[in-house]
Amino acid sequence: MAKSIALSALMALILAVQSPLYAERKMGQSYGNPCWTTPRGVLQVGHVSFLRDDATDVDVVFDEQGLAAIEIAFSERGTRKLGAAQQGKVGARLPVCLGTQLLTNPILNETIQGNTLHISGPDLAEAQRLSHRLKAYFNLNEK
């Protein structure tokens, strides 16, 4: 009986060591990257996925300090999804993921009004690169 319990504990330890995300997946959460469950190449805000026709424009803009940022303008349906992604999240983190890449993980201080999501923080080169990827995702390259 004691050998059986010890063997079970050893197997659990081996699984945890072989797969660092084992415990996180088993518990349904990730402590390091909130995007590890996001499907490859999908834009996700919170736990809401955005489809290719949910955005009308993606652009690199500059804030008041002259720092680069990305703005995503959403369609009517995308705006409703953005509202759903924020529901009950004021005061909590709202991760914005493109596939498994975390773009930003801000604390939502207040509900975002309107149809535009503003992602600040990347340098100009990174903002241009992400803007290009998002335009490709939303099929906006030819617009």
Side-chain angles (χ1 to χ4, degrees):
M1 177 84 155
K3 286 183 181 180
S4 172
I5 294 171
L7 184 57
S8 294
L10 180 61
M11 289 301 292
L13 179 62
I14 290 170
L15 285 174
V17 169
Q18 287 180 344
S19 174
L21 296 176
Y22 172 75
E24 296 171 9
R25 287 183 180 150
K26 187 173 180 182
M27 294 175 14
Q29 57 187 330
S30 174
Y31 297 104
N33 183 356
C35 305
W36 69 271
T37 60
T38 304
R40 184 176 182 193
V42 171
L43 179 72
Q44 191 167 328
V45 178
H47 293 291
V48 177
S49 294
F50 289 81
L51 303 176
R52 297 193 183 279
D53 57 347
D54 286 335
T56 59
D57 195 22
V58 175
D59 218 349
V60 175
V61 297
F62 296 92
D63 64 15
E64 302 82 35
Q65 291 84 27
L67 300 174
I70 300 167
E71 274 191 356
I72 305 171
F74 290 103
S75 64
E76 189 175 319
R77 183 176 72 184
T79 301
R80 285 193 304 270
K81 286 182 173 184
L82 183 60
Q86 301 175 70
Q87 196 168 19
K89 296 289 186 185
V90 173
R93 294 212 171 267
L94 185 67
V96 179
C97 306
L98 183 58
T100 58
Q101 180 184 7
L102 180 65
L103 301 181
T104 186
N105 194 14
I107 294 175
L108 187 63
N109 293 322
E110 59 185 285
T111 303
I112 300 168
Q113 301 297 318
N115 71 330
T116 304
L117 178 64
H118 186 92
I119 303 172
S120 59
D123 61 30
L124 179 58
E126 179 69 5
Q128 289 171 333
R129 190 179 69 73
L130 288 174
S131 173
H132 180 73
R133 284 181 61 199
L134 289 167
K135 283 181 181 184
Y137 175 74
F138 288 118
N139 290 324
L140 298 171
N141 285 326
E142 64 278 350
K143 294 182 181 179

